Amino acid sequence: PQGLIAADVAIFVADTGNHAIRRIDLKSGAVTTLAGNGNRGQNLPESAQSGKTTSLASPWDLEKKGDKVYFANAGTHQIGVLDLGKQTVARLAGSGAENLVAGSPSKAAFAQPSGLVLSKDGKTLYVADAESSAIRAIDLGDDSTKTLVGAGLFDFGKNDGSFSSARLQHPLGVAVDGDDL
């Protein structure tokens, strides 16, 4: 297990090594697999498919909003969404190419997305994009991705400053504290 989030009466787990997303019921202790079939998968499907039969690739972190569990599918450089009500999985953003590209869900490219957090208002999903040493933002209204900090694949450093000049080195997590990221 790599990432987890406590929500409602359960803990949701990104079970990286088993390529699965699991739910632990806090009352009974029962563990169920919500997505992933244990096999390493290829790119996430563009349209929703059964969560239990869809292969994932190293889910790394999770964030939950209502009936949606967003996950960093690090192995395919994509962000996925698990719909708990429909029990389906689909791609939210990322072409599957390893790169630092902003844009629409099918054009955006990530490089080992590793950490997720929702903005205070729940309208933006922030992503720690490890291999591009970047912080990304996905607008949950149109699912478009932009880069807040970062310059390119494997372009890193330790520079403070404005978003355009700041450089990070392999960020694995991201958090929101009020209006601060």
Side-chain angles (χ1 to χ4, degrees):
Q2 183 64 41
L4 59 89
I5 188 161
D8 308 319
V9 294
I11 297 174
F12 296 86
V13 180
D15 190 353
T16 304
N18 287 311
H19 309 290
I21 297 173
R22 310 227 175 174
R23 180 185 184 276
I24 303 170
D25 185 287
L26 292 175
K27 288 184 181 178
S28 69
V31 178
T32 55
T33 300
L34 302 174
N37 59 18
N39 298 312
R40 189 198 185 285
Q42 301 299 316
N43 286 347
L44 293 170
E46 290 183 34
S47 58
Q49 295 183 9
S50 168
K52 290 186 180 184
T53 60
T54 301
S55 297
L56 306 181
S58 303
W60 200 270
D61 198 16
L62 308 167
E63 188 62 278
K64 185 176 182 296
K65 178 183 177 186
D67 278 349
K68 308 272 196 241
V69 175
Y70 300 102
F71 61 96
N73 207 50
T76 61
H77 314 292
Q78 295 174 300
I79 306 300
V81 60
L82 165 63
D83 186 312
L84 295 172
K86 297 177 182 176
Q87 299 180 2
T88 58
V89 168
R91 176 200 70 198
L92 175 71
S95 65
E98 182 180 22
N99 209 335
L100 180 68
V101 177
S104 67
S106 62
K107 292 186 180 177
F110 296 85
Q112 195 186 46
S114 300
L116 302 176
V117 69
L118 282 166
S119 61
K120 186 169 84 171
D121 64 9
K123 294 180 180 179
T124 304
L125 182 66
Y126 295 106
V127 180
D129 203 14
E131 290 296 323
S132 63
S133 295
I135 302 296
R136 317 292 294 282
I138 302 172
D139 181 320
L140 295 178
D142 65 7
D143 300 337
S144 65
T145 299
K146 66 181 177 179
T147 301
L148 300 179
V149 177
L153 189 60
F154 305 115
D155 186 354
F156 58 88
K158 58 176 183 169
N159 304 338
D160 292 340
S162 66
F163 283 177
S164 62
S165 65
R167 294 294 173 264
L168 307 174
Q169 185 163 347
H170 208 270
L172 295 175
V174 63
V176 168
D177 181 16
D179 292 329
D180 294 331
L181 176 65

